[in-house]
Amino acid sequence: MHRLDQTLTFKTNYFSKDPEYTISPDDFGFVFVSRGVHVADEPEKDGEKVTQHRAAARPVKNASGKGPVSISVYAPGSDFDSTISTILYLRDCWAEGIKKYVTFHLIYHTDHVPKKIPTTEELLGRKMDCSVDPPKWSNVTTYRQQKKLLYPVNVARNVARRQASTYFVFPSDVELYPSINFIPEFFKMLKKPDISNTTLPRVFVFSIFEVEENESPPETKPELTKMLLNKKAIPFHQRVCQRCHTIPHSKEWAAGKVMPGLSVMHVGKREGLFKKWEPIYVGTQKEPLYDERLSWEGKSDKMTQMYILCVREYEFHILDNAFLVHRPGIKKAKRDARRDVVVAKQSRIISKHILPEYKALFGYKKECVV
Protein backbone atom coordinates (compact mmCIF):
# COMPACT_ATOMS: atom_id res chain seq x y z
CA MET A 1 0.00 0.00 0.00
CA HIS A 2 1.34 3.44 -0.90
CA ARG A 3 0.02 6.69 0.43
CA LEU A 4 1.06 10.33 0.41
CA ASP A 5 -1.01 12.25 2.90
CA GLN A 6 -1.34 15.93 3.59
CA THR A 7 1.66 17.89 4.75
CA LEU A 8 2.27 18.89 8.34
CA THR A 9 4.34 21.88 9.39
CA PHE A 10 6.56 21.94 12.45
CA LYS A 11 8.05 25.27 13.46
CA THR A 12 11.58 24.71 14.67
CA ASN A 13 13.12 28.17 14.48
CA TYR A 14 15.05 29.32 17.49
CA PHE A 15 15.57 33.06 17.70
CA SER A 16 17.43 35.09 20.29
CA LYS A 17 18.23 38.77 20.70
CA ASP A 18 21.87 37.73 20.80
CA PRO A 19 22.84 36.72 17.23
CA GLU A 20 25.63 34.55 18.59
CA TYR A 21 23.00 32.20 19.98
CA THR A 22 20.65 32.18 17.01
CA ILE A 23 20.04 29.13 14.90
CA SER A 24 18.98 30.79 11.69
CA PRO A 25 16.49 29.55 9.09
CA ASP A 26 19.54 28.41 7.12
CA ASP A 27 20.10 25.86 9.90
CA PHE A 28 16.54 24.67 10.48
CA GLY A 29 13.70 27.10 9.71
CA PHE A 30 10.44 25.33 8.94
CA VAL A 31 10.44 21.62 8.36
CA PHE A 32 7.65 20.05 6.34
CA VAL A 33 6.73 16.46 6.92
CA SER A 34 5.33 14.17 4.25
CA ARG A 35 3.28 11.68 6.22
CA GLY A 36 3.35 7.97 5.54
CA VAL A 37 4.98 8.14 2.10
CA HIS A 38 5.16 4.34 2.15
CA VAL A 39 2.94 2.69 4.69
CA ALA A 40 3.48 -0.77 6.11
CA ASP A 41 1.11 -3.44 4.82
CA GLU A 42 0.49 -4.59 8.39
CA PRO A 43 -0.89 -1.55 10.23
CA GLU A 44 0.16 -0.60 13.73
CA LYS A 45 -2.31 -1.68 16.37
CA ASP A 46 -2.46 -1.28 20.10
CA GLY A 47 -2.14 -4.36 22.22
CA GLU A 48 1.07 -6.31 22.39
CA LYS A 49 3.04 -4.15 19.98
CA VAL A 50 5.94 -1.76 20.45
CA THR A 51 6.63 0.66 17.62
CA GLN A 52 10.33 1.16 16.98
CA HIS A 53 10.70 4.74 15.80
CA ARG A 54 13.96 5.68 14.22
CA ALA A 55 15.70 8.69 12.76
CA ALA A 56 17.68 8.27 9.56
CA ALA A 57 19.68 10.40 7.17
CA ARG A 58 18.96 7.73 4.54
CA PRO A 59 16.60 4.74 4.48
CA VAL A 60 17.23 1.68 6.62
CA LYS A 61 18.44 -1.59 5.13
CA ASN A 62 17.39 -3.80 8.04
CA ALA A 63 14.04 -4.00 9.82
CA SER A 64 14.73 -5.90 13.03
CA GLY A 65 12.02 -7.56 15.05
CA LYS A 66 8.49 -8.56 14.14
CA GLY A 67 6.77 -5.32 15.01
CA PRO A 68 5.91 -1.97 13.46
CA VAL A 69 8.75 0.39 12.61
CA SER A 70 8.25 4.12 12.05
CA ILE A 71 11.21 5.72 10.26
CA SER A 72 11.85 9.39 9.56
CA VAL A 73 14.25 10.19 6.74
CA TYR A 74 15.72 13.66 6.23
CA ALA A 75 15.47 14.20 2.46
CA PRO A 76 15.96 17.85 1.43
CA GLY A 77 16.12 19.01 -2.18
CA SER A 78 17.15 16.37 -4.70
CA ASP A 79 17.68 13.84 -1.90
CA PHE A 80 13.89 13.48 -1.83
CA ASP A 81 13.55 11.71 -5.17
CA SER A 82 16.54 9.42 -4.63
CA THR A 83 15.14 8.54 -1.21
CA ILE A 84 11.78 7.62 -2.73
CA SER A 85 13.55 5.35 -5.24
CA THR A 86 15.54 3.69 -2.47
CA ILE A 87 12.44 3.14 -0.33
CA LEU A 88 10.60 1.58 -3.28
CA TYR A 89 13.53 -0.75 -3.90
CA LEU A 90 13.75 -1.72 -0.23
CA ARG A 91 10.03 -2.49 -0.12
CA ASP A 92 9.80 -4.35 -3.41
CA CYS A 93 13.17 -6.10 -3.65
CA TRP A 94 15.11 -6.12 -0.38
CA ALA A 95 13.18 -7.86 2.39
CA GLU A 96 9.57 -8.84 2.99
CA GLY A 97 9.76 -7.48 6.56
CA ILE A 98 10.32 -3.94 5.31
CA LYS A 99 7.15 -3.98 3.22
CA LYS A 100 5.18 -5.61 6.01
CA TYR A 101 6.28 -3.62 9.03
CA VAL A 102 8.00 -0.34 8.08
CA THR A 103 6.40 3.06 7.47
CA PHE A 104 8.61 5.88 6.18
CA HIS A 105 8.13 9.62 6.83
CA LEU A 106 10.17 12.09 4.77
CA ILE A 107 11.10 15.50 6.11
CA TYR A 108 12.70 18.46 4.40
CA HIS A 109 13.43 22.16 4.89
CA THR A 110 11.35 24.92 3.35
CA ASP A 111 14.50 26.45 1.93
CA HIS A 112 15.29 23.11 0.29
CA VAL A 113 11.94 21.90 -1.04
CA PRO A 114 12.04 19.04 -3.57
CA LYS A 115 11.33 20.07 -7.16
CA LYS A 116 8.40 17.68 -7.27
CA ILE A 117 6.51 15.66 -4.68
CA PRO A 118 4.80 12.67 -6.28
CA THR A 119 1.08 12.11 -5.97
CA THR A 120 -0.41 8.88 -4.71
CA GLU A 121 -1.20 7.83 -8.27
CA GLU A 122 2.38 8.46 -9.39
CA LEU A 123 3.76 6.41 -6.51
CA LEU A 124 1.40 3.56 -7.25
CA GLY A 125 2.57 3.58 -10.86
CA ARG A 126 6.27 3.30 -10.05
CA LYS A 127 7.54 -0.28 -10.22
CA MET A 128 11.08 -1.26 -9.34
CA ASP A 129 13.11 -3.66 -11.45
CA CYS A 130 14.61 -6.00 -8.87
CA SER A 131 16.95 -7.55 -11.45
CA VAL A 132 19.07 -4.39 -11.66
CA ASP A 133 21.49 -3.04 -9.07
CA PRO A 134 19.84 -1.19 -6.17
CA PRO A 135 20.12 2.60 -5.86
CA LYS A 136 23.41 3.61 -4.30
CA TRP A 137 22.91 4.48 -0.63
CA SER A 138 26.53 4.67 0.48
CA ASN A 139 29.64 6.43 -0.83
CA VAL A 140 27.49 9.05 -2.54
CA THR A 141 27.50 12.83 -2.16
CA THR A 142 24.01 13.84 -1.11
CA TYR A 143 22.25 17.17 -1.58
CA ARG A 144 22.49 17.66 2.17
CA GLN A 145 26.26 17.22 2.05
CA GLN A 146 26.62 19.54 -0.94
CA LYS A 147 24.66 22.28 0.85
CA LYS A 148 26.35 21.53 4.19
CA LEU A 149 23.00 21.25 5.96
CA LEU A 150 22.78 20.25 9.59
CA TYR A 151 20.85 17.09 10.33
CA PRO A 152 17.70 17.92 12.40
CA VAL A 153 17.85 14.63 14.26
CA ASN A 154 15.32 15.55 16.95
CA VAL A 155 12.76 16.67 14.39
CA ALA A 156 13.18 13.26 12.76
CA ARG A 157 12.86 11.44 16.10
CA ASN A 158 9.71 13.33 17.04
CA VAL A 159 8.06 12.86 13.66
CA ALA A 160 8.67 9.11 13.76
CA ARG A 161 7.23 8.92 17.26
CA ARG A 162 4.21 11.13 16.55
CA GLN A 163 3.24 8.89 13.66
CA ALA A 164 3.37 5.71 15.77
CA SER A 165 -0.07 4.56 16.92
CA THR A 166 0.97 2.05 19.60
CA TYR A 167 1.01 2.85 23.32
CA PHE A 168 4.61 1.67 23.81
CA VAL A 169 7.30 3.22 21.64
CA PHE A 170 10.98 2.46 21.29
CA PRO A 171 12.93 5.56 20.17
CA SER A 172 16.14 4.40 18.56
CA ASP A 173 18.51 5.31 15.76
CA VAL A 174 18.50 3.55 12.43
CA GLU A 175 21.92 1.93 12.89
CA LEU A 176 21.05 0.26 16.22
CA TYR A 177 19.78 -3.30 15.89
CA PRO A 178 17.74 -4.85 18.76
CA SER A 179 18.20 -8.38 20.03
CA ILE A 180 15.83 -11.00 18.72
CA ASN A 181 12.26 -11.44 20.02
CA PHE A 182 12.36 -8.53 22.44
CA ILE A 183 8.79 -7.42 21.64
CA PRO A 184 6.93 -10.62 22.67
CA GLU A 185 9.29 -11.13 25.61
CA PHE A 186 8.71 -7.53 26.74
CA PHE A 187 4.96 -8.06 27.02
CA LYS A 188 5.44 -11.36 28.83
CA MET A 189 7.63 -9.50 31.32
CA LEU A 190 4.97 -6.85 31.93
CA LYS A 191 2.63 -9.58 33.19
CA LYS A 192 5.10 -10.49 35.96
CA PRO A 193 5.24 -8.74 39.37
CA ASP A 194 6.89 -5.32 39.10
CA ILE A 195 10.42 -5.08 40.50
CA SER A 196 9.69 -1.54 41.72
CA ASN A 197 7.15 -0.83 44.45
CA THR A 198 6.98 2.89 43.65
CA THR A 199 4.50 4.82 41.54
CA LEU A 200 7.27 6.82 39.85
CA PRO A 201 7.33 6.96 36.04
CA ARG A 202 9.67 4.47 34.43
CA VAL A 203 11.20 3.46 31.12
CA PHE A 204 12.86 0.19 30.11
CA VAL A 205 16.52 0.47 29.17
CA PHE A 206 18.68 -1.47 26.71
CA SER A 207 22.40 -2.11 27.06
CA ILE A 208 24.22 -1.05 23.87
CA PHE A 209 27.29 -2.51 22.19
CA GLU A 210 29.56 -2.18 19.16
CA VAL A 211 31.16 -5.00 17.18
CA GLU A 212 34.15 -5.19 14.87
CA GLU A 213 33.49 -4.19 11.27
CA ASN A 214 33.90 -7.72 9.90
CA GLU A 215 31.53 -9.27 12.48
CA SER A 216 27.81 -9.94 12.24
CA PRO A 217 25.70 -8.34 15.00
CA PRO A 218 24.76 -10.89 17.68
CA GLU A 219 21.05 -11.64 18.09
CA THR A 220 21.08 -13.28 21.54
CA LYS A 221 22.84 -12.56 24.81
CA PRO A 222 24.93 -15.78 24.74
CA GLU A 223 26.25 -14.75 21.31
CA LEU A 224 27.01 -11.25 22.61
CA THR A 225 28.71 -12.54 25.77
CA LYS A 226 31.03 -14.73 23.69
CA MET A 227 31.96 -11.76 21.50
CA LEU A 228 32.65 -9.60 24.57
CA LEU A 229 35.00 -12.26 25.96
CA ASN A 230 36.78 -12.51 22.59
CA LYS A 231 37.09 -8.69 22.38
CA LYS A 232 35.05 -8.68 19.18
CA ALA A 233 32.42 -6.54 20.88
CA ILE A 234 32.72 -3.62 23.30
CA PRO A 235 30.26 -1.34 25.13
CA PHE A 236 28.82 1.36 22.89
CA HIS A 237 30.90 4.55 22.55
CA GLN A 238 33.56 3.15 24.88
CA ARG A 239 36.19 5.07 22.89
CA VAL A 240 34.06 8.15 22.27
CA CYS A 241 31.90 8.92 25.33
CA GLN A 242 31.92 6.02 27.75
CA ARG A 243 29.91 7.78 30.48
CA CYS A 244 27.11 8.56 28.01
CA HIS A 245 26.05 4.94 27.58
CA THR A 246 27.49 2.90 30.46
CA ILE A 247 24.57 1.45 32.41
CA PRO A 248 24.60 0.94 36.19
CA HIS A 249 25.88 -2.56 37.04
CA SER A 250 27.18 -3.01 33.51
CA LYS A 251 29.72 -5.66 34.55
CA GLU A 252 27.05 -7.65 36.36
CA TRP A 253 24.84 -7.36 33.26
CA ALA A 254 27.53 -8.85 31.01
CA ALA A 255 28.51 -11.59 33.48
CA GLY A 256 25.01 -12.52 34.60
CA LYS A 257 23.59 -15.97 33.92
CA VAL A 258 21.27 -15.96 30.94
CA MET A 259 17.80 -16.96 32.06
CA PRO A 260 14.78 -17.64 29.84
CA GLY A 261 12.62 -14.67 29.01
CA LEU A 262 13.11 -11.03 29.87
CA SER A 263 13.23 -9.28 33.24
CA VAL A 264 14.53 -6.15 34.96
CA MET A 265 17.95 -6.73 36.54
CA HIS A 266 18.32 -3.29 38.15
CA VAL A 267 16.49 0.01 38.61
CA GLY A 268 18.81 2.95 37.96
CA LYS A 269 18.66 6.72 38.23
CA ARG A 270 20.30 9.39 36.10
CA GLU A 271 22.41 10.87 38.88
CA GLY A 272 25.78 10.50 40.56
CA LEU A 273 28.21 8.60 38.34
CA PHE A 274 25.45 8.35 35.74
CA LYS A 275 24.39 12.00 35.60
CA LYS A 276 25.52 12.20 31.93
CA TRP A 277 23.82 8.94 30.96
CA GLU A 278 21.66 9.05 27.81
CA PRO A 279 19.98 5.63 27.74
CA ILE A 280 17.90 4.30 24.88
CA TYR A 281 14.67 2.85 26.16
CA VAL A 282 11.16 1.57 25.60
CA GLY A 283 8.70 4.16 26.86
CA THR A 284 5.26 5.42 26.00
CA GLN A 285 3.72 8.33 24.14
CA LYS A 286 3.62 10.17 27.48
CA GLU A 287 7.38 10.74 27.64
CA PRO A 288 8.61 14.23 26.65
CA LEU A 289 9.60 14.80 23.05
CA TYR A 290 13.13 15.72 21.98
CA ASP A 291 14.09 19.38 21.68
CA GLU A 292 13.88 20.24 17.98
CA ARG A 293 16.28 23.15 18.28
CA LEU A 294 19.20 20.74 18.50
CA SER A 295 21.07 19.13 15.60
CA TRP A 296 23.02 15.89 15.43
CA GLU A 297 26.23 17.74 14.56
CA GLY A 298 25.93 19.86 17.71
CA LYS A 299 25.91 16.77 19.97
CA SER A 300 24.08 16.47 23.32
CA ASP A 301 20.86 16.23 21.31
CA LYS A 302 19.25 13.76 23.75
CA MET A 303 20.63 15.30 26.94
CA THR A 304 17.87 17.90 27.32
CA GLN A 305 15.20 15.21 27.32
CA MET A 306 17.25 13.29 29.88
CA TYR A 307 17.22 16.39 32.11
CA ILE A 308 13.41 16.35 32.09
CA LEU A 309 13.30 12.65 32.97
CA CYS A 310 15.73 13.28 35.82
CA VAL A 311 13.81 16.13 37.44
CA ARG A 312 10.60 14.12 37.06
CA GLU A 313 12.33 11.31 39.01
CA TYR A 314 12.04 8.67 36.31
CA GLU A 315 13.20 5.16 37.10
CA PHE A 316 15.35 3.44 34.47
CA HIS A 317 14.50 -0.26 34.50
CA ILE A 318 17.47 -2.06 32.95
CA LEU A 319 16.50 -5.14 30.95
CA ASP A 320 18.66 -8.24 31.42
CA ASN A 321 18.40 -10.10 28.10
CA ALA A 322 17.59 -7.26 25.70
CA PHE A 323 20.30 -5.19 24.04
CA LEU A 324 21.16 -3.08 21.01
CA VAL A 325 24.11 -3.48 18.66
CA HIS A 326 25.37 -0.69 16.44
CA ARG A 327 25.98 -1.32 12.76
CA PRO A 328 29.35 -3.15 12.63
CA GLY A 329 32.40 -0.94 13.08
CA ILE A 330 34.03 0.36 16.28
CA LYS A 331 33.65 4.11 16.70
CA LYS A 332 36.77 6.09 17.57
CA ALA A 333 37.11 9.68 18.70
CA LYS A 334 38.28 11.99 15.93
CA ARG A 335 38.48 15.74 15.49
CA ASP A 336 36.24 17.58 13.06
CA ALA A 337 36.96 21.30 12.95
CA ARG A 338 33.64 22.21 11.29
CA ARG A 339 31.67 20.12 13.74
CA ASP A 340 33.58 21.58 16.70
CA VAL A 341 32.20 25.01 15.75
CA VAL A 342 28.63 23.66 15.68
CA VAL A 343 29.17 21.83 18.99
CA ALA A 344 30.41 24.99 20.68
CA LYS A 345 27.47 27.00 19.36
CA GLN A 346 24.92 24.38 20.39
CA SER A 347 26.49 24.03 23.84
CA ARG A 348 26.11 27.77 24.39
CA ILE A 349 22.47 27.63 23.29
CA ILE A 350 21.79 24.79 25.73
CA SER A 351 23.49 26.48 28.69
CA LYS A 352 22.30 30.03 28.07
CA HIS A 353 18.78 29.45 26.78
CA ILE A 354 17.45 25.90 26.86
CA LEU A 355 18.55 24.86 30.36
CA PRO A 356 17.20 28.04 32.08
CA GLU A 357 13.97 27.54 30.15
CA TYR A 358 13.73 23.91 31.25
CA LYS A 359 14.41 24.80 34.88
CA ALA A 360 11.50 27.24 34.77
CA LEU A 361 9.19 24.77 33.01
CA PHE A 362 10.11 21.47 34.64
CA GLY A 363 11.91 22.34 37.89
CA TYR A 364 15.41 21.98 39.26
CA LYS A 365 17.29 19.27 41.08
CA LYS A 366 20.95 19.63 41.94
CA GLU A 367 21.84 16.16 40.68
CA CYS A 368 20.12 16.68 37.30
CA VAL A 369 22.40 18.04 34.59
CA VAL A 370 22.57 18.37 30.82
Side-chain angles (χ1 to χ4, degrees):
M1 176 182 179
H2 302 278
R3 187 172 72 223
L4 184 62
D5 283 342
Q6 65 182 4
T7 303
L8 298 182
T9 305
F10 292 88
K11 186 175 181 180
T12 57
N13 275 26
Y14 184 72
F15 293 107
S16 164
K17 293 180 180 179
D18 183 349
E20 183 182 5
Y21 297 100
T22 299
I23 296 180
S24 71
D26 289 338
D27 294 323
F28 288 100
F30 294 90
V31 175
F32 283 77
V33 183
S34 297
R35 298 182 56 189
V37 172
H38 295 283
V39 180
D41 289 348
E42 183 170 300
E44 299 170 12
K45 298 177 182 178
D46 274 325
E48 295 194 352
K49 291 285 182 71
V50 179
T51 297
Q52 302 174 56
H53 62 88
R54 302 180 174 192
R58 57 179 61 90
V60 66
K61 290 189 286 184
N62 301 68
S64 299
K66 293 184 178 179
V69 182
S70 174
I71 295 182
S72 289
V73 186
Y74 183 43
S78 60
D79 288 347
F80 192 92
D81 189 61
S82 59
T83 298
I84 290 286
S85 296
T86 303
I87 291 172
L88 283 170
Y89 188 90
L90 291 173
R91 283 175 50 87
D92 294 343
C93 311
W94 192 260
E96 179 64 27
I98 293 176
K99 190 173 185 179
K100 188 174 183 180
Y101 296 114
V102 181
T103 299
F104 295 91
H105 314 283
L106 306 191
I107 65 176
Y108 53 87
H109 191 294
T110 51
D111 287 348
H112 302 278
V113 177
K115 289 183 178 180
K116 180 174 172 46
I117 298 177
T119 64
T120 300
E121 291 73 20
E122 289 170 331
L123 283 175
L124 288 171
R126 290 179 66 172
K127 305 297 181 183
M128 300 303 295
D129 184 354
C130 298
S131 65
V132 302
D133 291 337
K136 290 189 67 176
W137 48 54
S138 61
N139 300 319
V140 296
T141 301
T142 63
Y143 177 95
R144 174 188 158 223
Q145 291 169 331
Q146 292 172 355
K147 301 296 182 180
K148 298 181 179 179
L149 301 179
L150 298 181
Y151 174 34
V153 61
N154 283 349
V155 176
R157 287 175 176 142
N158 290 343
V159 168
R161 178 176 137 184
R162 283 184 177 112
Q163 303 309 315
S165 60
T166 54
Y167 178 76
F168 286 103
V169 289
F170 173 28
S172 184
D173 290 343
V174 76
E175 293 183 331
L176 291 174
Y177 310 148
S179 51
I180 197 168
N181 292 332
F182 93 86
I183 294 178
E185 294 300 334
F186 176 77
F187 284 100
K188 290 179 185 177
M189 180 195 71
L190 293 182
K191 297 174 182 178
K192 301 175 184 177
D194 198 331
I195 191 173
S196 174
N197 58 6
T198 75
T199 58
L200 294 173
R202 75 278 314 272
V203 291
F204 299 90
V205 177
F206 287 70
S207 299
I208 315 175
F209 300 89
E210 296 175 300
V211 298
E212 294 287 350
E213 191 167 2
N214 60 345
E215 298 292 331
S216 297
E219 294 185 334
T220 65
K221 190 171 181 180
E223 293 175 5
L224 172 64
T225 302
K226 184 177 180 180
M227 294 181 72
L228 289 169
L229 291 173
N230 294 336
K231 308 297 183 183
K232 293 181 179 179
I234 63 172
F236 186 55
H237 277 185
Q238 186 178 69
R239 301 173 186 175
V240 178
C241 183
Q242 187 170 1
R243 64 180 179 175
C244 296
H245 293 283
T246 299
I247 64 169
H249 296 276
S250 58
K251 292 182 180 179
E252 291 87 342
W253 188 97
K257 184 178 179 180
V258 179
M259 304 294 290
L262 191 63
S263 61
V264 174
M265 58 86 66
H266 178 71
V267 176
K269 287 282 193 174
R270 191 180 182 267
E271 55 189 37
L273 294 175
F274 303 95
K275 64 183 180 181
K276 286 285 189 177
W277 187 24
E278 51 175 15
I280 292 180
Y281 57 81
V282 171
T284 72
Q285 295 283 9
K286 296 180 180 180
E287 270 63 77
L289 293 169
Y290 295 93
D291 197 304
E292 296 184 357
R293 293 169 285 189
L294 304 179
S295 71
W296 175 81
E297 288 82 359
K299 297 185 178 181
S300 300
D301 45 84
K302 294 195 291 286
M303 291 296 194
T304 51
Q305 191 215 44
M306 289 300 107
Y307 175 85
I308 301 173
L309 299 190
C310 181
V311 296
R312 289 182 172 174
E313 299 187 355
Y314 266 71
E315 293 180 344
F316 296 89
H317 289 221
I318 300 168
L319 301 172
D320 60 352
N321 287 337
F323 59 89
L324 298 170
V325 180
H326 193 271
R327 179 175 60 86
I330 303 294
K331 287 194 172 187
K332 298 178 181 179
K334 58 182 180 180
R335 295 298 302 272
D336 182 335
R338 177 178 178 264
R339 190 174 186 182
D340 288 344
V341 173
V342 180
V343 170
K345 182 178 180 180
Q346 186 152 293
S347 297
R348 290 193 296 269
I349 292 170
I350 291 172
S351 62
K352 187 172 180 178
H353 294 280
I354 296 179
L355 186 55
E357 173 188 308
Y358 277 28
K359 288 179 179 178
L361 289 171
F362 307 111
Y364 168 78
K365 287 181 67 177
K366 184 178 180 180
E367 59 268 29
C368 298
V369 300
V370 172

